[in-house]
């Protein structure tokens, strides 16, 4: 059944289908509807919703619930995510699965509440201390807000690691048709959890390994997990990329603008394609190299001063020139701006 | 020869050998004369006596007791600095049958974790917190604690704690005793044999209360730190008696039953039920009226807060969806929404929608003059504007754009409800564009408006908008 | 005439850190520092061999979980529980 649904609400609907049992959070625009939906739905299905005293408390409650083996999540936006970074490091260090949604707004500092993509570094590259990674997914529609939330729970459990939905104010606030699969996934067995039972009495959840050798072994174990994720989990979408001369690269709301830009450019005679990373970590570098094999130029568009573009350049090296266009501060790049930039690139390349 | 039996020995709640410890696996890592070991023993003894070993989850903090999990043969969770009571909150909620102990030092609980302990106590989380107050940061080498005494020298108060600079020692029990929810709060001290036995009693009582499901309990234990205080163990013990107790009076600060007031409880339903998947009719998959209109509609609706701008957009999107179109609805949000002006973008298409952000609408609904002036220039040639007035200001002239003056608010007023102006506009928009069917609008309104009087009004408004357009002279259409 | 023994205390020199709290707290004062250094380089506590009443105070003031084991003469007229030992220590 299709229903018109807000992106932020779709997150919780997907979470319910993924068997999410607990939500701990703190309100912040433009993510608050996620907490509101959790508050409405979870207690009805026997789950826990608690509005914590801060994002710091919320992420540590997530740590507690994950320690007990629950499927648990939280959501916030930039300023709150900054406060959660310590907790994310502990969750990754203690190998605890959880789902965190960042509905990105303008920064730095209080910035504003309009959409941005400036938390890419903070979540894709780390943000908290130490050698860890978040599994990062970038939904571009309301449907994906639900679907990728479900996937995030699966990946989090598969790798015993935090999984993050990196989205933005527009995807969170917009409404689109949502179709829910009526299949509810039971959470997997977690024999490592601490549940206050005889069977789990010997279990320990911790991120401290005092001896350098012990910590090194632990970090290598995490590293091996991340390597496996890099092999198995990169996801992307291609659009009109087959014969493209120019390849646009963007994620989330920007990918939607780029989709329109590609269509419009083709009407004007320029063969433009789109590469949309669905996983930002692991970054679909191999697929990008293949998609860019025969293009003349790559244009990365972001609502940041240039964050994902570094991963694109790392993936493509000298293969093809990588250009960058951005709008920030809550402004979304317009189709006509992107196209102007593309035609400029092509002109420059020809002359 | 007399026969002997063991009356006091190592508790079975401690591991026989501390295998998680790298070396010296039959000794704790605590310094000689440290209070932590004493408290550990009192807790272990109680867990054994109350038969709670299999049910206990011990949350260790950051501080000297970070490694409490080396010793306690119970479920163990190690928490970030200051967050033990937040972690404990979620553990207890996940496992209500378990016995959750948060063990925290003064820096952990009363400095970095002040917010978490206050709110866990205020919510009445049915956990037990053991708060070790030794007036100093032990693990990091002797810096000031929130409970450091006035005048006490630490590495970060080299001239003694000066209230004018560092404030006064924080009295946690007194602070928490102002809250409604806690059931038991007591301060005890490891200052002499008698007080150690009182501590033993308090620890037992706190865990019994949790076992019985009573509510939040906290025992503060004034505890010696001989190494960092630079005293012998006996001097340190005496310093607790002579200095700490004077600043932190011992006693019971809260001991009462707390009855949570009755509150409305959410209904219990299944996930399929709450998401409406259980009773979804199969025919909903195919739209009742599939739109034959293949045009792409990019509709921008703008106006003032309260004019139903966002709702009008949502109704259009919902209608489009029901007619089998791809749709998107993108609002202005946040303070902008609250400060007066509001707008939204609605895309209706037969193809997957790219950007939901409309730069150039082919339909602009301007519910006030400001919106008209602001957005009219962005309308594409061949597009149309619906303006919420009888006449369009003379100086507004957009080449190749048809501007319709639809006095929606005025017509709504005539119906006796200004708030249905947006629905009047909807009726006019459907009539002018033919983008979606009026019947779908009625279905959507029937689905969303539960009050029958309001629904009747909305339907009247819908027809009023349609009829207004129909009576316009043909050249004006 | 020898006093009837009532208790006995056993101190594990491999666990005792020589803090001396038990020595200071012992009501019949029947614990002393060992003259010899333990492998850790401290003087552990030692029971002098007589005078112990089995009151358990040394056990409760000792920070080490397993350094001290307290015994009482058996069978006593009644079973002495930990709670009662605590009460005895309080008095």
């Amino acid at each position: 059944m299709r229903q018109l649904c807000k992106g932020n609400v779709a997150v919780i609907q997907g979470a319910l289908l993924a068997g999410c049992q607990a939500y701990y959070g703190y309100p912040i625009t433009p993510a608050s509807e996620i907490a509101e939906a959790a508050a409405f739905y979870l207690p009805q299905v026997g789950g826990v919703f608690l509005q914590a005293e801060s994002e710091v408390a919320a992420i540590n409650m997530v740590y507690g619930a994950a320690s007990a083996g629950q499927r648990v999540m939280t959501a916030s936006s930039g300023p709150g995510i900054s406060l959660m970074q310590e907790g994310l490091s502990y969750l990754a260090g203690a190998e605890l699965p959880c789902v965190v949604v960042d509905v990105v707004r303008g920064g730095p500092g209080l910035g504003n509440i309009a959409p941005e993509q400036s938390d890419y570094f903070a979540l894709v590259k780390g943000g908290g201390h130490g050698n860890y990674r978040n599994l990062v997914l970038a939904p571009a529609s309301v449907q994906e807000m639900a679907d990728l939330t479900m996937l995030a729970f699966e990946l989090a459990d598969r790798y015993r690691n935090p999984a993050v939905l990196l989205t933005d104010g527009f995807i969170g606030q917009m409404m689109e048709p949502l179709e829910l699969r009526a299949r509810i996934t039971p959470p997997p067995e977690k024999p490592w959890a601490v549940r206050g039972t005889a069977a789990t009495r010997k279990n320990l959840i911790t991120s401290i390994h005092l001896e350098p050798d012990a910590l090194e072994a632990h970090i290598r174990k995490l590293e091996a997990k991340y390597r496996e994720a890099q092999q198995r989990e990169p996801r992307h979408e291609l659009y009109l990329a087959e014969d493209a001369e120019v390849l646009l690269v963007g994620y989330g709301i920007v990918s939607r603008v780029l989709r329109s830009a590609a269509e419009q450019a083709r009407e004007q005679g320029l063969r433009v394609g789109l590469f949309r990373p669905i996983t930002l970590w692991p970054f679909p570098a191999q697929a990008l190299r293949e998609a860019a094999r025969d293009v003349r130029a790559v244009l990365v568009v972001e609502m940041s001063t240039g964050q994902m573009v570094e991963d694109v350049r790392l993936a493509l090296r000298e293969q093809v020139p990588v250009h960058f266009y951005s709008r920030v501060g809550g402004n979304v790049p317009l189709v006509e701006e992107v196209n102007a930039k593309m035609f400029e690139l092509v002109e420059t390349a020809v002359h | 020869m007399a026969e002997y039996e063991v009356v006091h020995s190592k508790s079975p709640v401690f591991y026989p050998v501390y295998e998680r410890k790298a070396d010296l696996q039959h000794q704790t890592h605590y310094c000689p004369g440290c209070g932590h070991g004493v408290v550990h023993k009192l807790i272990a003894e109680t867990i054994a006596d109350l038969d709670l070993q299999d049910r206990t989850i011990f949350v260790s903090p950051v501080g000297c007791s970070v490694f409490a999990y080396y010793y306690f043969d119970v479920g163990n969770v190690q928490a970030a600095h200051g967050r033990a009571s937040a972690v404990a909150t979620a553990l207890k909620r996940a496992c209500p049958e378990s016995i959750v102990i948060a063990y925290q030092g003064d820096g952990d609980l009363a400095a970095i974790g002040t917010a978490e302990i206050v709110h866990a106590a205020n919510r009445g989380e049915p956990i037990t917190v053991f708060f070790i107050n030794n007036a100093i940061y032990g693990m990091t080498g002797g810096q000031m604690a929130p409970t450091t005494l006035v005048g006490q020298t630490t590495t970060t108060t080299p001239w003694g704690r000066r209230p004018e600079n560092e404030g006064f020692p924080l009295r946690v029990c007194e602070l928490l005793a102002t809250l409604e929810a806690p059931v038991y709060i007591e301060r005890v001290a490891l200052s002499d044999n008698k007080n150690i036995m009182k501590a033993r009693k308090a620890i037992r009582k706190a865990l019994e209360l949790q076992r019985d499901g009573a509510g939040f309990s906290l025992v503060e234990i004034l505890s010696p730190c001989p190494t960092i205080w630079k005293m012998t163990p006996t001097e340190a013990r005496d310093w607790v008696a002579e200095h700490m107790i004077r600043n932190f009076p011992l006693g019971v600060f809260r001991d009462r039953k707390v009855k949570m007031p009755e509150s409305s409880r959410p209904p219990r339903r299944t996930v399929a039920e709450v998401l409406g998947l259980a009773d979804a009719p199969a025919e909903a998959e195919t739209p009742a009226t599939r739109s034959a209109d293949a045009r792409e509609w990019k509709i921008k609706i703008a106006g003032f807060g309260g004019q139903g701008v966002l709702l009008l957009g949502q109704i259009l999107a919902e209608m489009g969806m029901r007619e089998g179109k791809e749709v998107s609805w993108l609002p202005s949000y946040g303070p902008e929404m609250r400060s007066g002006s509001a707008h939204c973008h609605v895309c209706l298409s037969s193809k997957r929608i790219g950007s939901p952000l409309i730069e150039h609408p082919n339909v602009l609904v301007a519910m006030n003059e400001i919106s008209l002036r602001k957005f009219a220039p962005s309308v594409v040639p061949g597009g149309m504007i619906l303006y919420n007035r009888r006449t369009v200001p003379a100086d507004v002239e957009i080449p190749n754009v048809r501007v319709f003056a639809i006095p929606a608010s005025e017509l709504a007023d005539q119906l006796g409800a200004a708030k249905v102006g947006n629905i009047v506009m909807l009726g006019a928009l459907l009539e002018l564009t033919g983008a979606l069917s009026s019947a779908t609008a009625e279905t959507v309104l029937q689905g969303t408006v539960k009050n029958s009087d309001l629904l009747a009004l909305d339907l009247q408004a819908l027809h009023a908008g349609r009829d207004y357009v129909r009576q316009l002279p043909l050249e004006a259409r | 005439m020898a006093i009837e023994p009532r208790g006995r205390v056993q101190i594990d020199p491999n666990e005792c850190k020589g803090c001396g709290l038990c020595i200071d707290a012992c009501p019949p004062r029947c614990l002393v520092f060992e003259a010899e250094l333990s492998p850790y380089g401290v003087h552990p506590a030692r029971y002098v061999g007589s005078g112990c009443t089995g009151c358990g105070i040394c056990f409760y003031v000792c920070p080490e979980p397993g350094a001290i084991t307290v015994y009482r003469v058996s069978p006593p007229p009644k079973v002495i529980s930990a709670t009662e030992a605590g009460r005895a220590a309080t008095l």
Side-chain angles (χ1 to χ4, degrees), chain B residues 88-357:
Chain B
T89 290
L91 281 163
K92 184 72 178 184
R93 284 167 183 250
C95 313
E97 297 303 310
S98 66
I99 301 294
V100 178
I101 296 172
Y103 186 101
Q104 301 184 259
D106 43 42
D108 195 83
L109 180 139
I112 192 167
T114 316
E116 284 78 4
I117 190 64
V118 168
H119 286 275
N122 191 49
R123 290 188 302 262
E125 299 293 342
I127 60 171
T128 303
V129 180
F130 294 122
F131 168 39
I132 311 301
N133 177 359
N134 58 18
I136 198 104
Y137 280 52
M139 187 186 228
T140 48
Q143 297 80 18
M144 186 194 75
T147 51
T148 289
L149 304 186
V150 171
Q152 186 183 342
T153 302
T154 71
T155 58
T156 51
T157 55
W159 297 278
R161 180 178 191 157
R162 298 182 301 127
E164 64 187 282
N165 196 52
E166 288 94 18
F168 292 91
L170 200 70
R171 295 196 182 100
V172 169
C173 288
E174 287 84 340
L175 203 104
L176 296 183
T178 65
L179 304 174
E180 197 63 37
V183 295
Y184 177 55
I185 298 172
E186 180 168 1
R187 184 183 288 124
V188 296
L190 306 180
S191 54
D192 53 51
N193 303 345
K194 191 174 153 186
N195 274 327
I196 289 173
M197 287 305 149
K198 280 191 177 168
R200 180 173 173 274
K201 209 173 125 205
I203 287 168
R204 179 169 298 249
K205 175 162 180 168
L207 288 176
E208 282 172 345
L209 283 167
Q210 183 175 174
R211 178 198 59 193
D212 300 339
F216 179 87
S217 56
L218 177 140
V219 179
E220 174 176 345
I221 300 131
L222 305 182
S223 179
C225 181
T227 302
I228 303 293
W229 291 354
K230 300 184 176 64
M231 296 178 193
T232 66
T234 47
E235 285 168 353
R237 182 199 60 194
D238 294 344
W239 198 82
V240 173
E242 285 158 28
H243 298 277
M244 286 195 75
I245 292 177
R246 198 174 301 155
N247 283 274
F248 298 104
L250 304 187
V252 177
F253 293 85
R254 171 65 58 84
D255 186 6
R256 69 176 187 205
K257 279 207 172 83
V258 174
K259 198 167 161 13
M260 291 291 175
E262 284 295 315
S263 53
S264 60
R265 287 177 184 281
R268 284 302 299 270
R269 301 194 286 167
T270 65
V271 169
E273 282 165 357
V274 295
L275 295 182
L277 302 172
D279 47 19
E283 66 266 30
E285 297 293 330
T286 46
T289 16
R290 184 173 281 281
S291 169
D293 179 36
R295 288 172 292 177
E296 285 210 12
W297 293 101
K298 296 181 176 218
I299 306 167
K300 186 162 196 163
I301 306 162
F304 203 68
Q307 287 184 312
V309 162
L310 300 183
L311 183 62
L312 172 53
Q314 280 182 23
I315 292 170
L316 279 168
E318 175 92 36
M319 288 171 61
M321 187 184 74
R322 292 203 184 209
E323 293 196 13
K325 286 181 183 296
E326 294 298 327
V327 303
S328 67
W329 172 88
L330 181 71
S332 56
Y333 62 85
E336 192 186 349
M337 183 171 84
R338 284 164 220 134
S339 69
S341 80
H343 67 262
C344 64
H345 308 237
V346 177
C347 295
L348 307 172
S349 176
S350 53
K351 295 188 305 180
R352 181 166 151 186
I353 292 166
S355 176
L357 187 74

Side-chain angles (χ1 to χ4, degrees), chain B residues 414-461:
Chain B
Q414 285 166 16
L415 292 171
K419 64 182 173 184
V420 296
N422 59 342
I423 306 297
V424 175
M425 203 51 113
L426 174 65
L429 185 147
L430 297 178
E431 186 64 21
L432 283 166
T433 61
L436 298 159
S437 100
S438 178
T440 312
E442 291 182 21
T443 316
V444 168
L445 286 171
Q446 277 155 5
T448 41
V449 184
K450 297 297 170 203
N451 179 308
S452 58
D453 292 344
L454 274 182
L455 178 63
L457 197 61
D458 275 329
L459 295 178
Q460 274 181 291

Side-chain angles (χ1 to χ4, degrees), chain A residues 176-234:
Chain A
E176 285 183 324
L178 170 66
E179 181 127 36
L180 293 172
R181 301 199 306 253
R183 187 162 56 79
I184 298 152
T185 326
E189 289 290 311
K190 297 179 184 177
W192 47 263
V194 173
R195 302 192 46 81
T197 58
T200 63
R201 197 177 98 193
K202 300 294 176 196
N203 291 347
L204 165 67
I205 302 295
T206 188
S207 63
I208 188 169
H209 303 271
L210 204 58
E211 298 298 318
D213 286 347
L215 183 56
E216 184 171 39
H218 178 65
I219 292 168
R220 295 295 179 207
K221 181 184 165 204
L222 299 184
E223 196 185 14
K225 249 177 18 178
Y226 296 139
R227 225 177 357 252
E228 191 194 330
Q230 282 177 308
Q231 293 296 319
R232 290 179 54 178
E233 309 302 347

